[in-house]
Amino acid sequence: FMGCHVEDWPSFRIRGFLQDVGRSYISLPELKKEIALLSRYKVNVFHWHLTENQAWRLESKRYPQLNDLAITQRMPGKYYTHQEARELVEFCRAHGMTLIPEIDVPGHSAAFERAFGCSMQSEKGVPIVRELLIEACDLFHDVPYFHLGTDEVAFTNPDFVPEMVALVRSKGKKVISYNPGWRYKVGEIDMTHLWSYRGKAQPGIPAIDSKFHYLNHFDTFADLVALYGSRIYNTPQGTDDIAGAILALWHDRLSPIEGDMIRNNHLYPTMLALAERAWRGGGYAYFDGLGTMMPPRGSKDFLAFADFERRMIHQL
C-alpha cells in the first residue's frame, strides 16, 4: 500500500471562457456541454455576453420588444427565457463555475436603438436602461458579478456609466467593466476586463486579461501555441491586481451550423491551453513579439509544449 499527499492551488483565481451569444445564439444544451466539459479542467468562470448590435438575447418581460423578430438582425427568435437563465446559473454552480452575465452599455447597443428609437445615453434611454438592469439583476440575484461592458462607444452623457454602476452595486453585485472603456478611479469599479493591446491594469483594481485571448481567427495553430506559451498579462503568477484570464469566443462571422462555431475556432484545444496556463502560471512569451511561433526545436519550452500536446491528445 502506498499513499501520497498532493498539495495544489491555482496561480490565477479567474480561469474563464466567454460565449458571444449576442451575435450568434448558442443553444442551452450546447452551453451546458461546454460548461460540463471545461469544468473538468478547473475552468471556473462562464462569461455570458448576452447583448450586441445584432440582437438582445435575454428575455425582457418589461420590454418584450427587445426580443422581437423585427429588431433582431441575426438568428431572429433566438433568445434565453428567464427560466433558462436561472437554469444555467444553477448548472454552472453545480459544476464549480461562476456565471458572469453581461449587458453591454452604452455601446454595442444597436438592437436597443432599433427597439426604442433612441440611444441608451439619451433622456429617453436612461430610464429604460435602468429598468432593464434592475430586471436583469433581480433575475441573476444570486450571482456575485455583473458585467456592464462600456467598450467601443463615444460617451455623450457623463452621468450614464457612474449611475449604472451605482445601480448594479445597489443590487448587491460587484461590477466589471471593459478597459479600454469608461475611465475609472480606484473604488469606482470592482474589476476591469482588459481587451485589445491598449488594455491596461490599474493598481488597486483587479483585472482580467483578455487582451489577446480571442478566438475569432479560425486559426488552427497560432492561437494554440500562443495561448499555451503566454504569460497572463505578462506576469508569471496572479496578484491582487491581476485576477486571471478569460478566453473570448467572439462570433463576428456567422456560422449557420452551431457546432462549427466551436470547431472552427478550436475552443477545446485552446481553452485547455489557457486552463493549464491559468492554473500553473508561468509561460515564456506574450502575444507581442514571437509568442505565436513555436519555440526552437529541442528547447525546454518546445519540449513542454510537446508534453502538453501529448496530454491534450489523450483527452480527445
Side-chain angles (χ1 to χ4, degrees):
F1 176 80
M2 295 183 65
C4 68
H5 174 73
V6 177
E7 190 170 334
D8 196 14
W9 59 90
S11 295
F12 295 89
R13 60 189 182 273
I14 288 183
R15 307 173 301 281
F17 77 110
L18 175 155
Q19 272 286 17
D20 169 21
V21 301
R23 288 182 176 88
S24 292
Y25 174 87
I26 303 288
S27 69
L28 210 64
E30 172 60 33
L31 293 177
K32 287 182 176 180
K33 175 185 175 182
E34 295 164 17
I35 290 162
L37 283 171
L38 293 175
S39 69
R40 301 178 187 179
Y41 303 95
K42 299 183 174 68
V43 175
N44 67 348
V45 165
F46 171 58
H47 179 168
W48 207 11
H49 184 82
L50 285 159
T51 65
E52 258 303 333
N53 293 322
Q54 290 83 352
W56 192 282
R57 301 289 183 197
L58 181 63
E59 177 188 23
S60 175
K61 295 183 181 296
R62 178 67 181 85
Y63 294 105
Q65 61 266 46
L66 274 169
N67 311 122
D68 194 272
L69 300 178
I71 70 106
T72 306
Q73 290 185 333
R74 188 187 285 185
M75 304 173 77
K78 300 289 188 180
Y79 62 90
Y80 305 94
T81 66
H82 281 201
Q83 176 56 38
E84 288 174 323
R86 285 189 288 265
E87 188 178 327
L88 201 61
V89 170
E90 289 304 317
F91 191 85
C92 283
R93 183 178 291 112
H95 288 81
M97 277 200 199
T98 297
L99 186 149
I100 297 177
E102 179 189 350
I103 291 181
D104 204 345
V105 301
H108 290 264
S109 54
F112 176 97
E113 293 173 9
R114 289 192 296 274
F116 300 107
C118 65
S119 78
M120 287 185 170
Q121 300 181 75
S122 67
E123 185 177 351
K124 176 184 175 183
V126 167
I128 298 173
V129 175
R130 285 184 59 87
E131 289 189 65
L132 288 168
L133 290 180
I134 290 170
E135 182 181 38
C137 286
D138 289 344
L139 172 62
F140 294 106
H141 63 90
D142 53 353
V143 303
Y145 291 98
F146 200 98
H147 202 302
L148 284 177
T150 79
D151 60 317
E152 295 187 304
V153 66
F155 297 106
T156 58
N157 180 345
D159 298 322
F160 180 87
V161 173
E163 181 178 337
M164 299 310 161
V165 171
L167 172 64
V168 175
R169 280 177 158 180
S170 76
K171 302 296 287 185
K173 307 207 175 300
K174 295 181 179 180
V175 183
I176 305 174
S177 180
Y178 286 119
N179 178 313
W182 184 260
R183 296 188 178 184
Y184 298 97
K185 296 178 181 177
V186 174
E188 295 178 344
I189 195 69
D190 298 291
M191 190 173 289
T192 56
H193 190 172
L194 314 180
W195 71 277
S196 98
Y197 68 94
R198 295 174 293 127
K200 296 289 190 297
Q202 298 170 251
I205 304 176
I208 302 166
D209 185 6
S210 288
K211 288 175 66 173
F212 300 103
H213 300 127
Y214 275 24
L215 288 184
N216 59 354
H217 313 125
F218 288 28
D219 190 319
T220 308
F221 301 111
D223 284 340
L224 179 58
V225 173
L227 284 162
Y228 185 77
S230 175
R231 290 185 294 268
I232 292 171
Y233 201 67
N234 226 1
T235 59
Q237 299 283 323
T239 65
D240 289 343
D241 288 343
I242 308 300
I246 287 177
L247 189 64
L249 185 50
W250 297 111
H251 299 298
D252 300 290
R253 310 177 196 181
L254 174 62
S255 296
I257 300 173
E258 180 172 81
D260 285 350
M261 300 183 198
I262 311 307
R263 286 185 290 270
N264 290 345
N265 283 292
H266 311 285
L267 170 65
Y268 291 113
T270 45
M271 192 64 241
L272 264 61
L274 185 69
E276 176 153 327
R277 186 57 58 227
W279 185 269
R280 297 180 65 180
Y284 60 85
Y286 199 48
F287 281 76
D288 44 7
L290 299 178
T292 59
M293 303 295 289
M294 282 293 291
R297 182 176 294 275
S299 67
K300 176 184 174 183
D301 294 324
F302 181 94
L303 295 175
F305 183 81
D307 177 64
F308 166 73
E309 194 172 40
R310 177 187 59 78
R311 291 182 286 109
M312 182 176 66
I313 291 171
H314 178 71
Q315 302 301 313
L316 186 58

